[in-house]
Amino acid sequence: MDLALRIVSLAGLALLLAACASGPAYVPPPAAISVSSVPQAASAAASEDAYSRAILQAVNTERSGRGIAPLGFSSQLQRAAAIHSADMAARGFVGDFNPDAQGPDERVKAVWPEFKGSVGENISVNEGVLANESSTSPDVLAAAIVQRWAATLQMRKNMRNAAFTLGGIGITRSGDKIFVTGVFAAP
């Protein structure tokens, strides 16, 4: 009996030591945020215009139709959105992650370092008549963009997320295309 107790005690001690020796799980450090890879022209594109205001208003109309509070305008989110739109146009890609693997979180933190909340992002690339500034009013473009976003599950969720309280829209025109990014956040 005494021997059995010693064996069980030693086995328990061995398990305890093994658990302590493994230490905490490895957590890789966060990726560095590179702002040098985005186009310099993005700074100029980061100003709010009638089109970005109309799209944010259309998003808020979509939200209010479902009893969700409107998004407040955020110049930081608008700048992050404008930088992404300019980056997509300059480097010829479309997606939430740029060729450097930076996503919405990294872009928001690059322009708003103290930001600690959650982020959602919607994108749209439009060609043809919708991209023609001289023939498309801000309200017509806004309605088309929000209709496209509402037809896509994840973008619809982003627009209708009641936790998001701030938003910003960035637009870049390039040739016959218009790149639109909407960034929504819960700070």
Side-chain angles (χ1 to χ4, degrees):
M1 181 88 160
D2 191 34
L3 180 62
L5 184 57
R6 284 185 190 175
I7 291 173
V8 169
S9 296
L10 285 174
L13 182 60
L15 286 173
L16 180 64
L17 288 174
C20 292
S22 66
Y26 173 73
V27 177
I33 299 168
S34 170
V35 291
S36 63
S37 64
V38 297
Q40 293 296 321
S43 292
S47 62
E48 185 189 19
D49 66 4
Y51 289 89
S52 61
R53 283 191 299 275
I55 295 169
L56 187 60
Q57 180 56 50
V59 168
N60 282 335
T61 299
E62 169 75 16
R63 288 168 64 92
S64 69
R66 289 169 172 52
I68 305 166
L71 297 168
F73 171 76
S74 165
S75 61
Q76 294 97 333
L77 298 180
Q78 195 274 330
R79 179 165 164 67
I83 287 171
H84 189 52
S85 290
D87 193 18
M88 287 191 293
R91 295 202 277 174
F93 72 93
V94 176
D96 292 316
F97 289 84
N98 69 18
D100 302 320
Q102 296 169 334
D105 291 328
E106 290 84 9
R107 284 188 292 278
V108 169
K109 289 175 184 169
V111 299
W112 192 356
E114 62 276 0
F115 182 82
K116 303 280 189 235
S118 60
V119 175
E121 179 178 82
N122 289 1
I123 58 172
S124 179
V125 178
N126 305 278
E127 299 181 72
V129 84
L130 222 72
N132 187 337
E133 188 173 7
S134 63
S135 66
T136 305
S137 75
D139 291 335
V140 169
L141 178 65
I145 298 293
V146 169
Q147 183 178 13
R148 284 184 184 173
W149 288 349
T152 305
L153 179 62
Q154 188 57 52
M155 293 189 200
R156 184 172 55 245
K157 284 181 177 180
N158 287 340
M159 281 195 307
R160 297 177 184 172
N161 187 335
F164 292 155
T165 59
L166 296 173
I169 308 294
I171 298 174
T172 296
R173 287 179 172 73
S174 179
D176 65 343
K177 295 180 182 177
I178 181 169
F179 295 79
V180 180
T181 303
V183 179
F184 316 113

